[in-house]
Amino acid sequence: KAGVTQTPRYLIKTRGQQVTLSCSPISGHRSVSWYQQTPGQGLQFLFEYFSETQRNKGNFPGRFSGRQFSNSRSEMNVSTLELGDSALYLCASSLHRDSHTEAFFGQGTRLTVV
Amino acid sequence: AQTVTQSQPEMSVQEAETVTLSCTYDTSESNYYLFWYKQPPSRQMILVIRQEAYKQQNATENRFSVNFQKAAKSFSLKISDSQLGDTAMYFCAFRIAGGTSYGKLTFGQGTILTVHP
């Protein structure tokens, strides 16, 4: 069974641009969550989607948005990029919406904003 | 709001020895789950062990075990017979059971563990 796939693995963007990151969950998983990982702030929750609906959102500005498609694949978009958006963005998928189910993580997308 | 604190930024241990990583958390919730995740240099987060707050028995997974002290809000990870492959960043994480938090995991700052041959 294929794991969580995130594309691209690496990305370099210029300040002011926008970027879209993609996450394909494990087959059959319907919940997808996104996290931002930086050396200073650690791992922070961005948002979570289940059945194409955003169910929970972290404390990030409106420049960060996401969506989920009917096949459970998810995209995350960051508009008007800032230097501080440079981070590793991790996606996690879970089988159910229940909080006890294990979250499986992808290898992340390393975004560098210059 | 929930917080998770890992007070040991770095730890090291000799191969085959035992090491304990500390984690404390703060919450007003009574029903929740605690996790330890491992992130090796490959960056992929891997679940090491999970503990349900309503269970008094400490979880164990092969060489990994936890010491869960609910009253003290403490959740430490013990790694026995350490192996070189255990070298990684370890994160303690918290998730509320039910409610509207759904998939949100709250992570600690992480502990870098190095296993020396």
Side-chain angles (χ1 to χ4, degrees), chain A residues 9-10 33 35 37 40-43 45 48 55-56 88 90 97 99-103 105 107-108 110, chain B residues 33 35 37 39 42-45 47 50 89 91 95-98 100-105 107-109:
Chain A
R9 292 287 306 279
Y10 300 91
S33 300
Y35 294 84
Q37 185 176 15
Q41 299 298 316
L43 279 151
F45 173 77
E48 192 230 356
R55 301 191 301 166
N56 201 358
L88 178 66
L90 292 169
R97 60 189 299 171
S99 49
H100 73 280
T101 57
E102 180 179 349
F105 284 81
Q107 288 189 288
R110 171 76 66 188
Chain B
Y33 299 90
F35 307 85
Y37 278 90
Q39 187 178 39
S42 68
R43 307 184 327 206
Q44 183 143 25
M45 298 275 280
L47 178 65
R50 169 175 55 204
M89 174 87 90
F91 290 96
R95 175 188 273 178
I96 296 172
T100 58
S101 68
Y102 296 116
K104 178 180 178 180
L105 283 162
F107 288 91
Q109 287 295 100

Side-chain angles (χ1 to χ4, degrees), chain A residues 71-85:
Chain A
N71 62 358
S72 294
R73 189 178 71 85
S74 178
E75 287 183 348
M76 192 193 95
N77 185 274
V78 187
S79 62
T80 320
L81 284 165
E82 301 176 359
L83 295 178
D85 297 333

Side-chain angles (χ1 to χ4, degrees), chain A residues 9-106:
Chain A
R9 292 287 306 279
Y10 300 91
L11 207 49
I12 300 176
K13 289 287 189 178
T14 304
R15 267 184 306 174
Q17 287 187 313
Q18 75 165 17
V19 67
T20 299
L21 312 181
S22 179
C23 172
S24 292
I26 292 171
S27 178
H29 285 197
R30 296 169 63 192
S31 171
V32 174
S33 300
W34 289 89
Y35 294 84
Q36 181 196 66
Q37 185 176 15
T38 60
Q41 299 298 316
L43 279 151
Q44 293 187 288
F45 173 77
L46 281 156
F47 28 65
E48 192 230 356
Y49 288 86
F50 181 83
S51 293
E52 302 178 65
T53 302
Q54 186 181 90
R55 301 191 301 166
N56 201 358
K57 190 177 190 303
N59 295 322
F60 279 82
R63 300 185 297 106
F64 291 81
S65 63
R67 59 178 174 170
Q68 186 180 35
F69 301 95
S70 58
N71 62 358
S72 294
R73 189 178 71 85
S74 178
E75 287 183 348
M76 192 193 95
N77 185 274
V78 187
S79 62
T80 320
L81 284 165
E82 301 176 359
L83 295 178
D85 297 333
S86 293
L88 178 66
Y89 290 88
L90 292 169
C91 163
S93 78
S94 300
L95 183 60
H96 298 299
R97 60 189 299 171
D98 298 329
S99 49
H100 73 280
T101 57
E102 180 179 349
F104 293 84
F105 284 81

Side-chain angles (χ1 to χ4, degrees), chain B residues 2 19 21 24 36 38 67-68 81 91 94-95 103 106:
Chain B
Q2 284 61 236
V19 64
L21 308 184
T24 58
W36 278 98
K38 166 186 176 181
N67 183 3
F68 173 48
D81 186 25
F91 290 96
F94 172 101
R95 175 188 273 178
T106 301

